Amino acid sequence: GEVQVSVGLACAVLIISIAGLLSPWLKASQHVAFGVLAVVVAAWTHAALLLLGCMLTLAIAWSRLALRRHTLAEVVAGGAIG
């Protein structure tokens, strides 16, 4: 409901802010960060989505590495921020 949307939006603002603060030193993967956020928000209301969401987020993390858009540290940082 409304609470989940409000929390999700607040978390999105935090993700962007933290990634921006880290950007001079680390290009944290916001794709992974938002994947983690989506898993948390979806699992909050539909626990059955947890496994699927985790698998999709891992696929996003792998793709960021395979495409050489991020280093492992940047992908892990994105996961931690999310």
Side-chain angles (χ1 to χ4, degrees):
E2 290 180 28
V3 173
Q4 288 89 348
V5 171
S6 297
V7 171
L9 288 173
C11 289
V13 169
L14 281 173
I15 287 170
I16 293 168
S17 299
I18 293 169
L21 289 171
L22 291 176
S23 66
W25 305 280
L26 185 74
K27 188 175 105 179
S29 175
Q30 292 186 43
H31 288 90
V32 174
F34 279 98
V36 170
L37 173 61
V39 169
V40 170
V41 171
W44 187 358
T45 56
H46 305 336
L49 295 175
L50 182 62
L51 180 59
L52 176 62
C54 287
M55 290 172 33
L56 290 172
T57 301
L58 285 173
I60 292 168
W62 172 83
S63 74
R64 303 312 288 166
L65 292 169
L67 293 171
R68 297 179 189 231
R69 302 301 297 167
H70 291 285
T71 65
L72 181 59
E74 293 167 341
V75 169
V76 170
I81 291 170

